[in-house]
Amino acid sequence: MKRKLPRTVQEFMAYAWAMEVEAAERYAELADQMNTHHNREVSELFAKLARIEGKHRDQIMAQMGWTRAPDTSSFRWETPEGPETTDYSELHYLMQPYHALKLAEHNERRAAEFFERFAAANLPADVRAAAAEMAEDEREHVRLIEDWLARYPEPEAGWDEDPDPPAVAD
Amino acid sequence: MQQTESPGAAPPPRHTSVSIALAGSGGAGVMTAGNMLLEAAAHAGYYALMTRSSGPQIRGGEAAAMIRISCRPAECMDDHFDVLAAVDWENVHRFGAEIPLGPTSLIVGDPDQGEPHEVFTRTGAALAQVALKKMAKGIPDGRPNMLLLGLVAALVGLPDEAVTRAVEKSLAKRPAALVPSLAAVAAGREAARTMPRAFPLQPPPPAATQRWLLTGNEAAGYGAIKGGVRFVAAYPITPATELLEWMSPALAEVGGTLVQAEDELASINMAIGGSYGGVPALTATSGPGLALMVESLGLAVASETPIVVVDVMRVGPSTGIPTKSEQGDLNIALYGLHGDAPHLVLAPNSVADCLRTTQWAVRLAESLQSPAIVLSDQFFGQTRAVIDRPAELAADAGAGRVVAEPNAAGYKRYAVTTNGVSPMAIPGTAGVTYTADGLEHGERGTPSSQGTDHLAQLDKRRRKLELADYGTLWADVEGDGDLAIITFGSCTGIVREGLARAHADGVKARLVSMRLLAPAQPARLAAALEGVRKIIVIEQNHTGQLFRHLRAEYDLPGKLTSLHRPGAMQFNPGDIHRHLIEWSRT
Amino acid sequence: MTEALTHTDFKSDIKPVWCPGCGDFGVVNALTKALAKMELRPENVAVVSGIGCSSRIPAYTSCYGFHGVHGRALAAGTGLKIARPDLTVIVTGGDGDGYSIGGNHFLHACRRNVDMTYIVMDNRVYGMTKGQPSPTTEPDWDSKLSPDGTGLREFHPMVIALSSGANFIARAFTGDPNGLADVIVQAVRHPGFSFVEVLSPCVTFRPEQRDWKKIVKPDAIKPTSDIARAARRMLRDTGFDLGVLYAGNRKPYAPRGERANRDASVLEARFTL
């Protein structure tokens, strides 16, 4: 499906909103996965990220004065999923908070780049302005994640070692 | 059976039962003639049954049609045949063991087709020669099998109109053959006058009920539909194929569907899928197919999905003898599922009973959310019989499937209830979706590896079967005395007749013909055997499967004996008679 | 008036036990999105599966589910759909369940062309039983059960489906759940037997499959209704070409012959003398 570029602030912010929704849902799902695998620390971290993205989502709704969620069913990202959405395949059941935060940092950077492209694109001025503002927000998020990340040193080699062989269930 | 006399003397006394075998090969049309004879007997008001035997060739091989015509309901073949009439003798001796003759019998053969084999002549039977082929050639488009039909019909005294009616009905789609066939029949009738013996039947008693003509396979198919089955998945296998073929158009008439599957694994799973969707479902097979299906029957047990499998038993093990009857699948029916997987096993005990027992199996499977295996056999399945209109279940018999109400609060598919039956949500019903699972599960259906859940569900699945009320149908209990015979399935008719003869000789015994083989009914059997000091278990398999099962599951009173014989060597009433006399004396 | 359902309404409250990183998460995501998009209701959808990691899917949805025995999901789904044509039937499973023990039923399901959708999560391994080669595993993939590889040519499910009569055939990748959702919608809406082969990495037994997202070629296949053209396309197939291969015009399975809805007692006429 050919991607349709947003021509109005309403359309553009709907994209931004969709991005946050997808990111929040994904972090919540990843929190569940980590919880099922008894990786509590990372589970809580993902749950927190889900709440943060949820706040961003709600902020957009409030800012735009929307009473109902916008219709984003025809949206398509350039990448398979939204710029802020973590790819399922990036997970490991033994992953450390460092890894989760690196993923979050990557997400925020991609989101910032995504908005920066809009800010520089051949679009109406108010759209570009909105995009620039969103890009700045995302840059701030990157800084916040970096601060958060500073608390966790890079894990040593062998963090993914599990002496037990895989178990069978069926 | 009474003595016969030579022609010309006073009219011979009348018989109450006559057995006729028609034999021949290579397109002789022996089966066709046999069917017409059966229908003629029916139109004349007699009871009758017909079995068949043939060589391994698909067409043109040796064939024999065996017909018993009787004034009383006949549930088995007699000890011997009164008439063996053959179009030719090609390999007919292969049927020697199945067509026992005696000194009172009559063999009719065509002198231009060679001599009957010694296996027949050494019995002392009289031999009459009729130039069937030559005579048939003398009639335009005449055929020897029609001559035989006229001849044997006359020998037993069937009215001409009955024979004519049978021929007309049979040739309704080939009107050109009608005149020549009737001419040949008339010629055969004429030829009967020259026979050294005749076996005229007594006139039949007036019919008290409607009479039906059908096979056990057809009866089972109809019983299934009466029970509510509207979806069948089918894979052909001898001797069950005709059941499926009968059901295909029958289902179309009543709003149901039959699908031909690619193998038995597909057919059992299709049927389970259809049943999961809320439509009572069935498949039919024989031993080898049932062996393939047992894994999925376990799925039906674990997921509590109703399903009926009719096993038309044939001789095993493995490919065995597909065209002969044996009661050898009791073991796999009772014990063939892995794990502890209680389920229903039933066995009709006559061609007529195939209707009601299959109907009952469907009602039980539905109300108890369980698989039910119905053990029919090749003898029932492929025997065509003239019977009184069969008994059915009462219209309100069995509650049927207990289903969940839409949006039932806190719905748990596998809730541990007092009677073990938990309402089943039918797809399409809102608010009570669930996933059926072969994995062990908790009450909601979520897979569980907890021992407590496993025990609770095992208990539930066993309890629901054990607490059900099976009423009086669980067995036929007849007679009294301190001797008892226990049997099931097609042995029942043979035992009944043998026992009646033994009764005339002063031997009294109870007969317990078990219709419900699983779950076990210890209290009911104990009541049926109250006061019994000797029991004989009679069955048609090599290892005494019922005998062993009874010993494992039941505390039986008195002394226990097993009388068993494998398939393709069927007991006859005379065998039973002799055994009972001997056994009663020890 | 009932509010429109979202994909979360199609998820149950049961959390999948799949390894983090498993491609199958993308399939639940895509399937639930597809069902919501088609405005179906959970009670009118049945998800039927066999045995294997991916066969756990039914319980993770809020639809009716049937978790049957290994290899027979297509048979169960066929029986269900024929008995209840009003339901939307989705059959799911893995490459072992579907192409090995289920191979025969796969052939015949394509032939039979019952209106249902079959989604196979292909990770080219038997995951649940700890890593044996499956019919789609490369011939030289080393494992305990088949050291130095099986040496057997891989099963090509799309070619088999095409030659056996499937009416809709596509290949997709779980790394693109939105794209997969679109394909699932197309598949469900297309009449007859729709087959979607989904590349779904197994990070535990085939960790190298994490790189699949770099290898897959989106939109590499363009749909056709010409079987010969689709067959020629498959001659060039890399195994990672994504897209709808074939959308045909076969009529979906329907019981043949005249049907009626009479009372069972009409059948007695066949027996009465």
Side-chain angles (χ1 to χ4, degrees):
Chain A
M1 231 195 244
K2 192 142 167 71
R3 197 164 59 93
K4 204 181 65 145
L5 280 175
R7 311 288 329 173
T8 67
V9 173
Q10 290 284 323
E11 281 174 22
F12 170 76
M13 291 307 286
Y15 259 101
W17 177 86
M19 208 174 75
E20 303 296 342
V21 165
E22 205 181 75
E25 265 183 30
R26 185 56 50 88
Y27 280 131
E29 219 184 315
L30 301 182
D32 280 340
Q33 289 185 30
M34 287 295 114
N35 196 40
T36 304
H37 288 79
H38 308 292
N39 192 331
R40 307 285 173 217
E41 210 180 346
V42 174
S43 176
E44 276 161 25
L45 202 152
F46 278 132
K48 188 163 183 183
L49 287 164
R51 285 193 295 273
I52 291 170
E53 300 296 355
K55 270 206 222 106
H56 297 163
R57 171 199 67 214
D58 296 339
Q59 270 163 15
I60 293 175
M61 284 281 284
Q63 196 180 318
M64 298 304 295
W66 290 333
T67 48
R68 264 178 32 202
D71 177 16
T72 55
S73 55
S74 62
F75 285 14
R76 282 295 173 273
W77 308 108
E78 311 157 297
T79 44
E81 297 190 283
E84 221 169 352
T85 301
T86 311
D87 188 330
Y88 284 119
S89 69
E90 296 290 352
L91 261 65
H92 192 289
Y93 70 105
L94 291 176
M95 68 196 297
Q96 303 290 301
Y98 173 88
H99 299 115
L101 288 167
K102 285 301 272 183
L103 287 172
E105 185 194 18
H106 180 60
N107 293 340
E108 299 301 331
R109 259 190 234 287
R110 285 189 300 155
E113 284 160 13
F114 173 79
F115 289 129
E116 275 155 12
R117 281 200 298 281
F118 272 100
N122 184 11
L123 290 167
D126 54 352
V127 177
R128 283 189 283 117
E133 204 181 310
M134 290 300 298
E136 183 48 45
D137 283 348
E138 296 298 350
R139 287 285 167 211
E140 179 57 30
H141 297 160
V142 173
R143 283 190 284 278
L144 288 167
I145 300 282
E146 278 171 342
D147 288 343
W148 198 353
L149 201 47
R151 305 210 290 265
Y152 296 94
E154 186 168 351
E156 308 233 323
W159 62 267
D160 56 349
E161 265 166 33
D162 182 343
D164 284 349
V168 200
D170 269 3
Chain B
M1 233 64 60
Q2 280 142 335
Q3 292 284 65
T4 57
E5 296 168 20
S6 48
R14 306 269 173 155
H15 300 254
T16 54
S17 167
V18 179
S19 294
I20 299 146
L22 303 177
S25 70
V30 158
M31 299 304 190
T32 307
N35 272 312
M36 289 184 193
L37 182 64
L38 179 75
E39 292 192 26
H43 292 312
Y46 292 101
Y47 296 96
L49 61 148
M50 175 175 144
T51 63
R52 304 165 309 175
S53 218
S54 48
Q57 308 87 331
I58 304 288
R59 306 204 71 175
E62 61 276 14
M66 285 86 88
I67 302 109
R68 183 181 188 187
I69 305 174
S70 169
C71 295
R72 285 189 293 274
E75 289 179 348
C76 62
M77 299 310 270
D78 208 335
D79 298 352
H80 81 298
F81 284 80
D82 299 295
V83 178
L84 167 58
V87 173
D88 61 68
W89 295 107
E90 289 295 328
N91 282 324
V92 174
H93 61 275
R94 290 203 179 138
F95 304 129
E98 296 170 68
I99 307 176
L101 302 173
T104 59
S105 306
L106 173 67
I107 304 173
V108 179
D110 189 332
D112 300 324
Q113 300 296 325
E115 293 301 304
H117 193 276
E118 191 232 348
V119 71
F120 299 118
T121 52
R122 68 173 179 232
T123 61
L127 175 60
Q129 308 274 40
V130 179
L132 295 165
K133 205 157 181 187
K134 270 209 192 94
M135 285 174 68
K137 278 220 159 69
I139 300 165
D141 292 322
R143 308 198 54 171
N145 66 333
M146 291 291 106
L147 272 148
L148 267 189
L149 173 63
L151 194 152
V152 300
L155 284 179
V156 305
L158 291 181
D160 296 350
E161 320 85 70
V163 181
T164 305
R165 201 167 143 200
V167 175
E168 282 172 349
K169 202 159 151 268
S170 181
L171 297 177
K173 295 210 176 92
R174 292 190 296 134
L178 186 56
V179 165
S181 299
L182 289 174
V185 165
R189 203 177 285 136
E190 262 310 298
R193 293 170 184 277
T194 65
M195 293 294 103
R197 289 179 181 163
F199 307 88
L201 285 156
Q202 291 186 15
T209 75
Q210 197 183 50
R211 296 270 171 88
W212 284 16
L213 171 56
L214 79 178
T215 63
N217 273 344
E218 291 166 340
Y222 182 54
I225 291 179
K226 290 291 280 189
V229 165
R230 290 297 181 273
F231 181 71
V232 170
Y235 190 72
I237 183 171
T238 305
T241 308
E242 297 96 16
L243 193 163
L244 301 162
E245 288 177 337
W246 185 87
M247 285 193 88
S248 186
L251 281 166
E253 265 200 77
V254 297
T257 310
L258 179 140
V259 165
Q260 182 177 338
E262 56 269 25
D263 58 27
E264 285 90 348
L265 300 162
S267 51
I268 184 66
N269 277 282
M270 286 184 190
I272 291 173
S275 177
Y276 167 76
V279 180
L282 169 146
T283 187
T285 187
S286 192
L290 182 62
L292 288 173
M293 294 180 185
V294 292
E295 182 200 12
S296 301
L297 286 172
L299 173 65
V301 170
S303 63
E304 301 198 50
T305 310
I307 182 76
V308 175
V309 179
V310 180
D311 175 12
V312 187
M313 296 187 285
R314 68 199 219 175
V315 169
S318 188
T319 313
I321 307 175
T323 51
K324 295 269 180 276
S325 204
E326 190 167 69
Q327 295 182 310
D329 295 348
L330 187 60
N331 281 349
I332 190 172
L334 291 170
Y335 310 121
L337 280 57
H338 69 276
D340 290 309
H343 54 283
L344 299 154
V345 179
L346 298 96
N349 61 19
S350 71
V351 166
D353 194 47
C354 287
L355 192 163
R356 184 176 52 179
T357 297
T358 308
Q359 183 186 13
W360 192 34
V362 176
R363 302 315 300 159
L364 287 175
E366 289 288 311
S367 53
L368 300 175
Q369 299 175 20
S370 164
I373 301 173
V374 177
L375 293 175
S376 175
D377 63 26
Q378 182 275 332
F379 175 75
F380 285 154
Q382 297 189 322
T383 293
R384 278 190 91 199
V386 181
I387 58 174
D388 285 326
R389 189 211 165 90
E392 294 173 17
L393 292 181
D396 61 351
R401 207 181 284 205
V402 179
V403 301
E405 293 297 312
N407 302 304
Y411 174 66
K412 292 182 195 156
R413 167 66 184 101
Y414 301 109
V416 175
T417 58
T418 337
N419 71 353
V421 177
S422 50
M424 184 174 179
I426 306 301
T429 314
V432 286
T433 62
Y434 77 102
T435 292
D437 216 318
L439 281 172
E440 190 57 281
H441 40 262
E443 289 188 282
R444 268 189 68 198
T446 313
S448 166
S449 57
Q450 298 302 303
T452 45
D453 283 330
H454 182 44
L455 180 59
Q457 292 294 316
L458 283 170
D459 282 343
K460 171 195 199 289
R461 294 189 292 252
R462 183 170 69 180
R463 181 165 70 246
K464 71 179 178 181
L465 295 180
E466 286 181 350
L467 294 182
D469 181 5
Y470 298 99
T472 51
L473 285 178
W474 75 280
D476 286 339
V477 182
E478 298 157 7
D480 51 26
D482 61 4
L483 305 181
I485 306 165
I486 306 180
T487 188
F488 76 107
S490 56
C491 279
T492 304
I494 304 165
V495 169
R496 265 192 189 123
E497 191 164 335
L499 180 56
R501 295 186 198 175
H503 193 76
D505 285 342
V507 174
K508 239 170 46 145
R510 288 180 223 193
L511 171 59
V512 178
S513 169
M514 296 178 73
R515 210 178 261 110
L516 183 72
L517 293 155
Q521 303 292 300
R524 293 194 141 109
L525 188 58
L529 297 174
E530 179 86 43
V532 165
R533 65 171 177 87
K534 259 175 32 151
I535 300 171
I536 185 167
V537 181
I538 302 180
E539 59 190 306
Q540 184 153 27
N541 54 63
H542 190 240
T543 50
Q545 296 183 17
L546 178 63
F547 177 71
R548 289 166 196 255
H549 171 69
L550 291 172
R551 288 184 62 182
E553 290 291 327
Y554 296 85
D555 285 327
L556 297 169
K559 193 159 169 291
L560 209 58
T561 310
S562 172
L563 173 63
H564 54 266
R565 204 188 265 188
M569 297 181 66
Q570 195 137 25
F571 287 116
N572 58 47
D575 294 326
I576 303 298
H577 179 194
R578 280 185 297 282
H579 274 286
L580 290 179
I581 303 256
E582 204 186 296
W583 169 68
S584 68
R585 292 193 186 133
T586 57
Chain C
M1 191 195 104
T2 34
E3 232 185 65
L5 298 175
T6 68
H7 64 280
T8 44
D9 295 311
F10 283 90
K11 286 193 184 177
S12 73
D13 55 4
I14 298 178
K15 305 300 172 195
V17 298
W18 298 318
C19 305
C22 176
D24 295 350
F25 284 106
V27 176
V28 176
N29 187 311
L31 177 60
T32 51
K33 282 185 174 144
L35 295 173
K37 186 156 191 173
M38 289 185 281
E39 296 183 337
L40 296 167
R41 296 206 55 86
E43 62 266 18
N44 295 326
V45 179
V47 183
V48 179
S49 68
I51 299 286
C53 290
S54 49
S55 283
R56 293 286 189 125
I57 268 193
Y60 303 148
T61 74
S62 64
C63 307
Y64 277 96
F66 189 83
H67 186 205
V69 294
H70 198 30
R72 318 294 170 200
L74 282 170
T78 296
L80 178 59
K81 180 68 183 184
I82 293 178
R84 290 290 306 278
D86 57 304
L87 299 172
T88 299
V89 176
I90 315 261
V91 182
T92 62
D95 43 304
D97 184 81
Y99 307 146
S100 200
I101 184 170
N104 189 34
H105 306 305
F106 180 50
L107 287 174
H108 293 278
C110 294
R111 282 181 64 223
R112 204 173 278 112
N113 203 32
V114 168
D115 184 21
M116 58 191 194
T117 298
Y118 185 36
I119 301 172
V120 175
M121 283 150 266
D122 190 351
N123 56 13
R124 304 186 182 172
V125 77
Y126 276 85
M128 187 125 263
T129 44
K130 300 200 292 169
Q132 296 78 34
S134 86
T136 46
T137 304
E138 305 82 339
D140 54 357
W141 186 73
D142 186 46
S143 68
K144 281 195 200 137
L145 203 59
S146 298
D148 300 322
T150 61
L152 300 179
R153 197 169 101 163
E154 303 97 310
F155 188 81
H156 200 315
M158 294 167 76
V159 170
I160 303 291
L162 186 66
S163 63
S164 304
N167 212 30
F168 178 96
I169 303 168
R171 182 191 276 129
F173 176 54
T174 62
D176 178 8
N178 294 318
L180 176 56
D182 284 342
V183 173
I184 293 175
V185 169
Q186 281 182 68
V188 171
R189 283 185 173 152
H190 196 86
F193 186 71
S194 299
F195 169 56
V196 184
E197 146 93 353
V198 182
L199 298 173
S200 183
C202 172
V203 294
T204 296
F205 295 108
R206 309 279 327 245
E208 70 275 18
Q209 291 175 352
R210 283 185 199 267
D211 286 343
W212 272 2
K213 60 176 173 274
K214 300 183 192 142
I215 308 173
V216 293
K217 296 179 176 44
D219 295 317
I221 309 176
K222 300 288 180 246
T224 176
S225 61
D226 179 345
I227 288 189
R229 175 182 254 149
R232 284 195 300 275
R233 180 62 188 79
M234 282 292 101
L235 293 174
R236 306 194 310 271
D237 186 57
T238 63
F240 293 100
D241 301 332
L242 310 181
V244 176
L245 172 72
Y246 177 73
N249 300 311
R250 280 185 71 198
K251 271 175 58 176
Y253 174 90
R256 296 165 73 81
E258 268 185 57
R259 324 199 67 71
N261 221 323
R262 307 193 184 102
D263 186 77
S265 53
V266 308
L267 299 170
E268 291 182 7
R270 293 160 193 242
F271 307 133
T272 51
L273 283 161

